[in-house]
Amino acid sequence: MTSFDRPHLYIGGEWVTPASTETIAVENPATEEVLGHVPAGTAADVDRAVAAARAAFDGWAASTRRAEVLDRLHTALAARAGDIARVVGLELGAPLKIAKAVQAGLPLAVLRSYADLAARPAPETTVGNSLIEHEPIGVVGAITPWNYPLHQVVAKVAAALAAGCTVVLKPSELTPLVAFLLIDAADEAGVPAGVLNVVTGTGPVVGAALAGHPDVDMVSFTGSTATGRAITHAAADRIAKVALELGGKSANVILEDADLTRAVKVGVGNAFLNSGQTCTAWTRMLVHRSHYDEAVALAAKTADGYPVGDPFDANTRLGPLVSRAQRDRVLGFIERATARRVTGEPSLPAKGHFVAPTVFADVDPSSELAQEEIFGPVLSIIPFSSDDEAVAIANNSKYGLAGGVWGSDDRALAVARRLRTGQVDVNGGSFNPVAPFGGYKQSGVGRELGEFGLSEFQQVKAIQR
């Protein structure tokens, strides 16, 4: 098997030797074989990377060529699209179709949008006798998750660079390899030295050092709510800005006048996307009682049509979960559930961290199954009797990241407006990579993507004349 060892860190425009000789093994979750190793970075590596980012900041903030650099980066990254899909398929276990379309395709679309935004910066505006300017916030620490390992990196890095910030990136230690493809592309594209740096390592070491670093002006984090809380505390000591994209437990509301077949099939697909390892997954399906039994039967049949197996097999629709720990966590939720399981238990590959597609019916809206983010291919179906009850159940969550509503257009839109969540799809509206993305409540603070994502990395200055 080809080795994917990446022994160096990228700091100050150079591949450098880490401060420690310790490494982190990167596993293929479908085979449980080691793909390669990356450096186990240290606080000293973070210090070096932050110093490089600080030294590069003034020049990058003043540059009029940011759009040109991002355009070259897009070209270099697009040339690696096939490698991106393959690497994500290997280190995450994403089925190849998803790896190509989403894991490789979406970050390219996002990067393209930020190259375009950098080419047309917001004009200066006036309010009375004040001139309003938008300036980059400074050095950004970007800490990214394992489930969409390139998209989440690009959503932060491209926005920060377009805004004029410099970045120190810590990718997830579970899926760090694809981030190196971005750095390879950045090096080839001539991103100026120190503008983009990468330090691999664990959250408790590298992540903590970055979040608490006195010379980091902003931390942008995607991951668990518990870790987001710790990062907020670390940044609070120096009053640094924090942007957080955290957990979700999104509801898919199917009203009585919805196209039931389409709503259920799309809903199951959304819940199982990326083997359920998606923060926006519609993991609660709320169905009007008049169609409830039909919906349960249809959801079970649809779920049974999701073959589990080798991510590189064209017939596979569900790959493995990212790690043994994640698999065991998901299985724990399934084993503790008291609701009615309506899907079977198919045989799974002997090796790999696989979980069968699982649908529960008659789920108590206040139960663990309906309240906790499981992050696996597990769907809960809950009945409701009125639009008001559906809204109450949907909003009965500590999270508020995404959701869906199906029904006649005006009625579905009215329900969507009542959901306390950052993004809602009505009747299968497609994902928009330039619309603001982020959550309410414990799903986070701030927004990513498009102009709203760009503004997160900017300060606003008023100059009175």
Side-chain angles (χ1 to χ4, degrees), residues 165 283 452:
C165 300
T283 52
F452 288 85

Side-chain angles (χ1 to χ4, degrees), residues 183-402:
I183 302 302
D184 289 340
D187 194 57
E188 178 184 305
V191 174
V195 168
L196 176 58
N197 310 271
V198 64
V199 179
T200 53
T202 66
V205 177
V206 173
L210 197 53
H213 201 286
D215 216 18
V216 170
D217 300 293
M218 174 180 174
V219 180
S220 181
F221 169 78
T222 297
S224 72
T225 298
T227 303
R229 190 177 294 116
I231 286 172
T232 301
H233 281 289
D237 286 342
R238 63 182 191 284
I239 321 298
K241 182 175 181 179
V242 174
L244 304 172
E245 198 268 281
L246 306 174
K249 192 68 182 179
S250 301
N252 179 28
V253 180
I254 304 175
L255 303 173
E256 59 189 313
D257 59 354
D259 178 342
L260 186 68
T261 299
R262 182 165 178 253
V264 171
K265 287 185 176 180
V266 173
V268 171
N270 182 291
F272 291 170
L273 178 64
N274 207 36
S275 296
Q277 300 171 129
T278 302
C279 55
T280 57
W282 299 344
T283 52
R284 294 181 294 156
M285 181 179 287
L286 280 52
V287 185
H288 192 272
R289 290 185 185 277
S290 62
H291 300 295
Y292 183 74
D293 291 341
E294 183 182 356
V296 169
L298 182 57
K301 181 179 179 181
T302 302
D304 287 339
Y306 275 72
V308 177
D310 179 359
F312 292 91
D313 184 330
N315 294 318
T316 295
R317 299 186 73 182
L318 282 183
L321 300 191
V322 72
S323 66
R324 181 179 298 277
Q326 182 64 17
R327 183 200 66 182
D328 291 347
R329 179 178 182 275
V330 171
L331 290 177
F333 281 103
I334 293 172
E335 290 165 2
R336 291 191 300 273
T338 57
R340 175 166 58 100
R341 181 170 179 166
V342 296
T343 44
E345 299 185 50
S347 60
L348 300 174
K351 280 191 174 182
H353 309 312
F354 294 93
V355 173
T358 305
V359 177
F360 288 99
D362 309 336
V363 176
D364 181 343
S366 63
S367 67
E368 178 187 65
L369 206 59
Q371 289 293 318
E372 297 300 323
E373 184 177 42
I374 297 172
F375 234 56
V378 180
L379 173 65
S380 299
I381 308 182
I382 303 168
F384 66 86
S385 299
S386 67
D387 292 6
D388 288 344
E389 185 183 13
V391 170
I393 294 171
N395 288 339
N396 177 29
S397 173
K398 61 187 174 184
Y399 299 115
L401 187 57

Side-chain angles (χ1 to χ4, degrees), residues 145-163:
W146 48 261
N147 59 329
Y148 289 90
L150 184 60
H151 167 61
Q152 296 287 359
V153 166
V154 169
K156 300 179 188 307
V157 167
L161 297 192

